[in-house]
Amino acid sequence: MQTKKHPKVVLLKGNGPITVNSEMMELITITLSHGLIGLPLKSLRAQRVYIVKDMERFWDVHKEIKEKPCCFLYSYEKLEEEDLNLIKAEDISFI
């Protein structure tokens, strides 16, 4: 019996427009108001995505990388190939 796999929950922050789970949003507004947004990763489209491996670094990464537009992503669970395929961007970096 095969169990249904749930999407991984990711944390997002940054600046610039993104489309996440088919919904457009402006990340800078969310980041300035709330610090970040957490949601299940079903799809993500952004110009530039930084996948941050360390939670401590995730909190302050915007001080280190000031590029615009960009989206910082953190996942508590390891992102597998099938998760990465849900992310569409011109540039994806692991930091």
Side-chain angles (χ1 to χ4, degrees), residues 13-17 25-34 68:
K13 70 179 199 168
N15 54 66
M25 55 182 71
E26 185 60 51
L27 257 186
I28 191 69
T29 306
I30 293 164
T31 301
L32 292 175
S33 299
H34 307 289
K68 293 181 181 178

Side-chain angles (χ1 to χ4, degrees), residues 31-50:
T31 301
L32 292 175
S33 299
H34 307 289
L36 58 84
I37 185 171
L39 36 85
L41 178 62
K42 297 177 187 170
S43 69
L44 172 63
R45 184 174 300 274
Q47 187 172 334
R48 183 176 294 111
V49 175
Y50 288 96

Side-chain angles (χ1 to χ4, degrees), residues 2-95:
Q2 191 174 11
T3 59
K4 180 169 178 1
K5 196 167 181 188
H6 297 285
K8 297 206 170 115
V9 174
V10 295
L11 304 179
L12 301 172
K13 70 179 199 168
N15 54 66
I18 64 168
T19 303
V20 63
N21 302 341
S22 302
E23 191 171 321
M24 282 195 68
M25 55 182 71
E26 185 60 51
L27 257 186
I28 191 69
T29 306
I30 293 164
T31 301
L32 292 175
S33 299
H34 307 289
L36 58 84
I37 185 171
L39 36 85
L41 178 62
K42 297 177 187 170
S43 69
L44 172 63
R45 184 174 300 274
Q47 187 172 334
R48 183 176 294 111
V49 175
Y50 288 96
I51 299 173
V52 186
K53 297 177 183 177
D54 178 68
M55 176 59 133
E56 291 299 316
R57 189 172 184 195
F58 177 76
W59 287 114
D60 292 324
V61 71
H62 63 281
K63 295 175 186 173
E64 172 189 341
I65 298 173
K66 300 188 184 290
E67 284 180 84
K68 293 181 181 178
C70 67
C71 171
F72 302 108
L73 179 149
Y74 175 80
S75 176
Y76 289 102
E77 297 179 73
K78 183 180 187 308
L79 295 174
E80 306 293 337
E81 187 71 30
E82 62 195 54
D83 303 309
L84 297 174
N85 288 336
L86 301 173
I87 302 170
K88 306 293 183 223
E90 290 176 23
D91 184 30
I92 300 175
S93 302
F94 292 86
I95 58 172

